[in-house]
């Protein structure tokens, strides 16, 4: 776990170290005379690098959920999936869809801890030395991809509406950012909220390095699953 965290830091140090060294060296010993002011170019390039990193993050956060939404539209048009066969009242179907999708994400999270191949990717999320809202964005691209495939599989089996999938993604994302946040809730408020949702105090335990705590409090949204499957601390 520490190695993953260290390698990230090492990459950053190496990147900035080499960049700064070369910037100094090429200023002292320029091969060609500059046509344009170097500071202007420097700021452009650095901004572009930051922007590229940001675009990658955005792609991971938005395009991936869209894939599940597109799958839902396709499945709906074909009339496939459990809900398209059952034809439940739409409100009931929406609630059941959200609950089942959340249960499936809980299951995926447990599997990410117990299946060594999946843990290889999931530990990137756990290797964060800090715990704040940005931790909720910190996932290995392959884990994001696996999660996308899992959601698409569920969409094909369940056949939830497009709206249900969009709402689910928004809730999941919002809850993940909430329970990873470095936000202080009063004990009373925390106690009340965690009756329904995983709170930051609840999820922080999941980010412990002690295995007994690490392998508990898997829920990202609904807090019921951990109590039901006895993974609650
Ligand atoms: Zn985890």
């Amino acid at each position: 776990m520490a190695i993953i965290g260290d390698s990230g830091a090492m990459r950053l140090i190496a990147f900035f170290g080499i960049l700064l060294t070369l910037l100094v060296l090429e200023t002292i010993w320029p091969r060609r005379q500059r046509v344009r002011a170097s500071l202007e170019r420097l700021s452009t390039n650095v901004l572009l690098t930051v922007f590229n990193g940001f675009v990658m993050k955005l792609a991971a956060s938005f395009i991936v959920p869209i894939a599940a939404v597109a799958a839902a539209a396709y499945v709906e048009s074909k009339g496939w999936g459990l809900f398209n066969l059952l034809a439940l009242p739409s409100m009931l179907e929406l609630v059941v869809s959200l609950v089942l999708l959340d249960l499936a994400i809980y299951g995926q999270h447990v599997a990410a801890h117990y299946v060594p191949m999946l843990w290889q990717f999931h530990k990137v999320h756990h290797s964060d030395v800090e715990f704040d809202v940005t931790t909720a964005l910190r996932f290995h691209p392959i884990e994001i991809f696996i999660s996308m495939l899992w959601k698409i599989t569920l969409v094909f089996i369940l056949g939830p509406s497009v709206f249900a999938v969009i709402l689910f993604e928004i809730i999941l994302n919002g809850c993940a950012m909430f329970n990873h946040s470095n936000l202080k809730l009063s004990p009373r408020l925390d106690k009340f909220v965690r009756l329904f949702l995983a709170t930051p105090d609840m999820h922080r335990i999941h980010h412990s390095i002690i295995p007994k705590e690490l392998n508990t409090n898997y829920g990202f949204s609904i807090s019921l699953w951990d109590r039901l499957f006895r993974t609650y601390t």
Side-chain angles (χ1 to χ4, degrees):
M1 243 159 50
I3 292 168
I4 298 283
D6 288 346
S7 76
M10 267 154 36
R11 246 192 57 205
L12 264 178
I13 292 166
F15 170 70
F16 282 111
I18 295 167
L19 178 68
L20 287 175
T21 307
L22 287 171
L23 275 173
V24 171
L25 291 180
E26 73 178 1
T27 307
I28 303 172
W29 294 293
R31 173 70 174 77
R32 293 169 61 229
Q33 284 307 315
R34 293 185 184 284
V35 185
R36 290 178 66 190
S38 57
L39 214 88
E40 186 195 316
R41 276 193 49 267
L42 174 70
S43 60
T44 308
N45 288 354
V46 169
L47 270 176
L48 184 64
T49 306
V50 172
F51 181 71
N52 280 347
F54 193 63
V55 167
M56 289 297 289
K57 266 261 118 75
L58 278 180
S61 315
F62 292 103
I63 293 171
V64 169
I66 286 170
V69 172
Y74 181 73
V75 169
E76 205 167 24
S77 74
K78 295 282 177 186
W80 293 343
L82 190 67
F83 291 124
N84 287 316
L85 295 174
L86 289 177
L88 296 173
S90 54
M91 200 57 205
L92 181 65
E93 186 192 306
L94 177 65
V95 173
V96 176
S97 300
L98 294 176
V99 170
L100 288 181
L101 285 171
D102 195 58
L103 174 61
I105 294 298
Y106 168 88
Q108 183 200 346
H109 193 183
V110 174
H113 280 246
Y114 285 97
V115 180
M117 196 270 285
L118 297 177
W119 173 249
Q120 288 303 311
F121 304 116
H122 186 60
K123 70 184 179 184
V124 170
H125 174 63
H126 280 268
S127 66
D128 202 345
V129 288
E130 287 288 337
F131 183 82
D132 64 24
V133 62
T134 66
T135 311
L137 309 172
R138 183 191 167 101
F139 284 99
H140 192 289
I142 293 179
E143 181 169 27
I144 294 173
F145 184 71
I146 292 169
S147 178
M148 182 189 83
L149 290 183
W150 175 227
K151 283 176 198 162
I152 290 173
T153 307
L154 292 163
V155 164
F156 271 82
I157 295 168
L158 298 173
S161 67
V162 171
F163 177 69
V165 176
I166 294 172
L167 191 61
F168 173 72
E169 295 286 5
I170 292 171
I171 293 172
L172 180 65
N173 205 243
C175 284
M177 285 196 277
F178 167 66
N179 66 40
H180 285 93
S181 71
N182 193 25
L183 179 70
K184 191 180 172 186
L185 299 182
S186 74
R188 271 186 64 194
L189 184 60
D190 184 286
K191 215 176 152 189
F192 175 73
V193 175
R194 77 166 66 188
L195 290 174
F196 314 98
L197 297 173
T199 64
D201 276 357
M202 196 174 152
H203 196 71
R204 198 178 301 105
I205 292 171
H206 179 73
H207 280 258
S208 163
I209 54 164
I210 304 163
K212 219 181 130 213
E213 293 178 344
L214 169 72
N215 295 320
T216 63
N217 295 6
Y218 292 99
F220 285 120
S221 306
I222 303 173
S223 63
L224 172 75
W225 310 127
D226 284 302
R227 294 175 215 268
L228 200 63
F229 299 108
R230 298 176 175 278
T231 53
Y232 179 74
T233 302

